[in-house]
Amino acid sequence: MSEVIVIGVVALQGAFHEHLKLLNLAAADEDLGEAGWDFRQIRTPEELEACDALIIPGGESTTISLVAARSNLIEPLRHFVKVERKPTWGTCAGLILLAEAANRTKKGGQELIGGLDVRVNRNHFGRQAESFETPLDLPFLKDENSSTKDSESTPNPFNGIFIRAPVVEKLLPVVQGEQCVEALRDDTVIAPSKQKGSSRHVVQPVEVLATLPGRTKSISENIDAAELAHQGDIIVVRQGNVLGTSFHPELTGDARIHVWWLKQVMYAIRSS
Ligand code: GLN
């Protein structure tokens, strides 16, 4: 098959080199080998236009958004994500930028791209000093492994690296204009979502793909495991073409999420 899929990584600030490294590692996976992959750094609207799918890396979301605005990339990014609905994955700061609403940020100080009908809480676990690593159980990777027929088997946990990480603190109703309610909140910025209405696609629901069981509570309170599981922080969400992860897979040497996502991209392109 001579198909070449172009994957862009927004390269304005943050861990874009690390994503490119893991993408190259992932492309060696035997299930991905049949497509040709072209991984590129993206800094201009013209470069973005050539992409079939996109990654927005971790870093500092205010800086990425500021540089994107100066590079005239914000509207093209919104078009890519919300009108063309091409596969897009944001990690950490990237998740913040892909949220329709984000709090703990100076009003007007940061433009969101949007695409995920969620509100994120920036720096949820605290400042840099409170950054941490923890083994994660990621059920979507388990599904991927179920071809081994051993559905009970737990894959190796994924090393979750959380650096001033956001979590999804609210799933917003998937109704156009609903962010107006969010806009009334003092400490919240919202993404303009007008483009959504012009799409020929039906808006999909937000799926919670992974949670971090009760971390905040477990530090201070003695709650049993089942209770904690219910109170987990939402750290991976998907809505149609958009995926967001709170942590930094790009800072590990583990390409499993990149492999999984590239497969999703491949299926999405083939079925479009
Ligand atoms: N807290 C950062 C922000 O607001 C995100 C941190 C990260 O990407 N590691 O952009």
Side-chain angles (χ1 to χ4, degrees):
M1 175 175 287
S2 60
E3 169 189 34
V4 174
I5 300 176
V6 179
I7 307 285
V9 181
V10 172
L12 302 175
Q13 189 266 340
F16 55 90
H17 284 299
E18 289 81 352
H19 265 299
L20 287 160
K21 209 163 134 195
L22 275 198
L23 284 169
N24 280 305
L25 196 64
D29 185 275
E30 56 184 20
D31 292 340
L32 294 171
E34 54 186 276
W37 299 96
D38 182 348
F39 305 124
R40 302 180 180 178
Q41 300 185 13
I42 301 304
R43 295 189 180 84
T44 66
E46 294 70 32
E47 289 168 347
L48 177 65
E49 212 179 311
C51 295
D52 297 307
L54 189 71
I55 291 179
I56 306 179
E60 179 51 52
S61 57
T62 40
T63 308
I64 296 175
S65 132
L66 212 80
V67 182
R70 282 193 199 137
S71 312
N72 296 318
L73 259 177
I74 297 276
E75 278 308 325
L77 282 167
R78 286 190 185 125
H79 190 82
F80 188 95
V81 177
K82 300 207 271 194
V83 179
E84 296 186 298
R85 291 185 183 271
K86 291 187 178 175
T88 306
W89 173 20
T91 57
C92 202
L95 161 63
I96 295 171
L97 292 168
L98 290 171
E100 287 289 332
N103 67 7
R104 296 240 182 119
T105 183
K106 249 197 306 176
K107 203 153 192 161
Q110 174 177 32
E111 286 210 65
L112 301 179
I113 295 159
L116 288 169
D117 286 296
V118 299
R119 187 205 303 147
V120 293
N121 185 27
R122 297 180 65 205
N123 303 325
H124 178 77
F125 302 101
R127 307 304 305 166
Q128 187 84 15
E130 276 97 47
S131 297
F132 60 95
E133 295 184 27
T134 189
L136 297 175
D137 176 31
L138 300 177
F140 56 99
L141 293 183
K142 214 175 296 184
D143 293 348
E144 199 57 41
N145 289 357
S146 60
S147 58
T148 61
K149 293 193 180 66
D150 184 4
S151 53
E152 295 305 306
S153 76
T154 311
N156 296 333
F158 197 93
N159 185 30
I161 301 180
F162 292 80
I163 304 171
R164 291 181 300 114
V167 300
V168 170
E169 63 170 15
K170 187 177 180 204
L171 306 187
L172 303 174
V174 185
V175 177
Q176 210 190 342
E178 203 53 49
Q179 289 76 18
C180 300
V181 178
E182 291 293 304
L184 297 175
R185 294 168 54 88
D186 258 2
D187 61 350
T188 302
V189 284
I190 60 161
S193 54
K194 59 185 187 299
Q195 293 94 332
K196 279 190 165 179
S198 64
S199 169
R200 63 196 159 88
H201 297 273
V202 175
V203 177
Q204 315 242 11
V206 178
E207 301 167 80
V208 174
L209 297 191
T211 56
L212 180 61
R215 183 177 167 87
T216 317
K217 295 244 183 234
S218 65
I219 294 167
S220 55
E221 294 170 39
N222 197 5
I223 301 175
D224 75 72
E227 174 84 346
L228 285 176
H230 283 301
Q231 297 178 3
D233 291 311
I234 299 173
I235 53 167
V236 184
V237 285
R238 174 170 64 183
Q239 185 175 19
N241 59 314
V242 192
L243 175 72
T245 51
S246 294
F247 51 97
H248 289 270
E250 74 274 26
L251 299 184
T252 69
D254 188 341
R256 278 179 292 165
I257 305 181
H258 287 75
V259 170
W260 174 83
W261 182 72
L262 287 176
K263 281 186 198 166
Q264 310 278 310
V265 170
M266 211 160 69
Y267 301 142
I269 289 173
R270 287 182 183 166
S271 59
S272 66

